[in-house]
Amino acid sequence: MTISGDNRLAGRQVVVGVCGGIAAYKVCDLVSRLARAGSKVQVIMTRSATKFVAPLTFQALSNQPVITELFGEIKQECVAHVSVAEAADVFVVAPATANIIGKLRAGIADDFLATTLLATKAPVVLAPAMNVNMFSHPAVRENLTVLRERGVIIIEPETGRLACGTSGKGRLAPVERILAGIQEALALPPLLAGCRVLVTAGGTREAIDPVRYITNRSSGKMGYALAGEAVRFGAAVTLVTTPTGLPVPVGAKVIPVESALEMREVVQGLFDQVDVVIKAAAVADYRPACPAKQKVKKNAGQLTIELVRNPDILAELGQRKRHQVLVGFAAETNDVEKHALEKLHRKNLDLLVANDVTASGAGFGTDTNIVTLYDANGGREALGLLPKTKVACRILERVAAVLPAR
Ligand code: PMT
């Protein structure tokens, strides 16, 4: 099974809960392979799991501090900002003991793993491993049936020799099968199948001379998250991006640009051929009036650069809009709602995503964002602190809901 470069795993937040069973050592391989595939892996161990494998092993393999069930020992950085449950794209428990299976079925939250499992809205994958008699016990069978009915993906154990010396069904499934279950859980519904989505990303560069430019703090992460998630929702995606150094979202067509004028030309040229435009790029409002053909030399005096207005690409699209769904962003530092609503209406948008770029964990350069969505019908939805990938999913779900009416 090839997993490196798989865009279902790369960049995903995978929580791996490890319970106390001899098969815990096999989960080291699972964590290592997820990390190599580009997933961000957060390991949670129960107290008994730490008797089988040292937390340090998982820490080294996942490159992240491991959360043990001992609340007092949880390091702040492990859980700060985004709660583990909320940040998860998928939640895997391996080996899943009869104990955790019973707790999840019954809604018992008496340690960190059980609590986080109940709190998450992410898809859950359980890979049971236990003694053959335990696995065939009616209570365990019934618990698994109920969990399956609730949408939990169960990776059936294998039949073979068990650590307790007996033989039968109860061996942890091979890592390949668990990975396949994780990939299945990460697949998104094809909400945007057949839809052509254009996303802009990054901060434009406005040339002063051949070696210098004016730009802003945009890293491109928000736009790249949107492009990547739109591909996962089944859309044909074109990403118009300034130079960012970020990995290209697998499956998206990338068109590189630098300045606002270049971005305008590309976006205007493609507008009639797309169904959705999402302008996450931070476009410079001004550019140097006359970029020098040669490097500007320093001298003793001051240097004044005259700036002229750039066209507002999004406002122009708003004028031309026919069937397209238009989504704009507003990067604000004050009076967020007032500015957001002004942009929503003036630019004739369907959805405006406002971020207060002064808030911690929001805006430029971060992996997370805090946004409020304003729609053309007067709707307002504030999202809490979320990874940019999740913010992207929420925006795209809103877009998918508007599309059929067009
Ligand atoms: O890239 P990251 O580091 O992940 O940061 C994400 C982000 C903060 C850049 C992103 O979330 C964001 O807010 N992008 C929009 C930034 C911005 O330019 O906001 P604005 O309020 O200046 O512009 C409003 C909208 O008009 C934007 O959709 C912008 O793309 C568009 N615009 C602005 C000016 C212009 N001349 N042409 C435009 O199309």
Side-chain angles (χ1 to χ4, degrees), residues 172-204:
L172 184 74
V175 168
E176 282 74 14
R177 281 219 284 122
I178 303 175
L179 281 168
I182 295 170
Q183 288 170 322
E184 181 194 331
L186 284 169
L188 292 177
L191 291 182
L192 297 173
C195 175
R196 299 153 299 174
V197 176
L198 190 160
V199 178
T200 68
T204 61

Side-chain angles (χ1 to χ4, degrees), residues 70-288:
L70 308 170
F71 282 90
E73 288 182 9
I74 296 165
K75 296 227 172 63
Q76 192 52 34
E77 62 267 26
C78 297
V79 287
H81 305 306
V82 184
S83 86
V84 177
E86 272 216 335
D89 289 308
V90 60
F91 204 127
V92 192
V93 183
T97 55
N99 188 39
I100 194 77
I101 291 167
K103 284 191 209 176
L104 183 58
R105 191 260 166 107
I108 294 170
D110 63 351
D111 65 10
F112 196 95
L113 176 58
T115 308
T116 322
L117 251 182
L118 278 192
T120 193
K121 288 193 173 147
V124 173
V125 178
L126 295 185
M130 64 195 79
N131 162 275
V132 58
N133 295 334
M134 288 171 80
F135 188 69
S136 58
H137 192 285
V140 175
R141 305 302 313 150
E142 190 189 303
N143 287 343
L144 286 173
T145 303
V146 170
L147 290 174
R148 202 178 273 112
E149 282 164 9
R150 288 183 197 158
V152 173
I153 297 175
I154 312 289
I155 312 296
E156 286 289 318
E158 304 241 298
T159 302
R161 205 180 138 65
L162 303 172
C164 53
T166 56
S167 259
K169 192 166 181 180
R171 278 163 67 110
L172 184 74
V175 168
E176 282 74 14
R177 281 219 284 122
I178 303 175
L179 281 168
I182 295 170
Q183 288 170 322
E184 181 194 331
L186 284 169
L188 292 177
L191 291 182
L192 297 173
C195 175
R196 299 153 299 174
V197 176
L198 190 160
V199 178
T200 68
T204 61
R205 294 178 173 184
E206 311 300 330
I208 296 170
D209 68 15
V211 297
R212 304 178 182 97
Y213 53 80
I214 298 170
T215 190
N216 56 63
R217 296 181 190 277
S218 173
S219 64
K221 286 180 181 175
M222 191 64 246
Y224 277 57
L226 280 156
E229 298 308 306
V231 170
R232 296 179 64 230
F233 275 121
V237 179
T238 304
L239 175 63
V240 179
T241 176
T242 63
T244 63
L246 295 173
V248 168
V250 179
K253 179 182 173 193
V254 175
I255 302 182
V257 295
E258 288 215 356
S259 65
L261 290 181
E262 284 173 24
M263 182 175 281
R264 178 202 202 193
E265 193 180 333
V266 173
V267 171
Q268 290 282 11
L270 291 172
F271 192 55
D272 287 336
Q273 302 156 40
V274 297
D275 307 298
V276 180
V277 176
I278 308 179
K279 287 222 72 237
V283 183
D285 288 319
Y286 293 89
R287 68 178 185 279

Side-chain angles (χ1 to χ4, degrees), residues 303-323:
L303 174 69
T304 302
I305 300 171
E306 188 190 346
L307 301 177
V308 291
R309 276 298 300 267
N310 266 331
D312 188 322
I313 307 167
L314 191 53
E316 291 177 349
L317 298 182
Q319 303 267 315
R320 280 182 60 192
K321 182 166 95 170
R322 288 178 298 116
H323 65 282

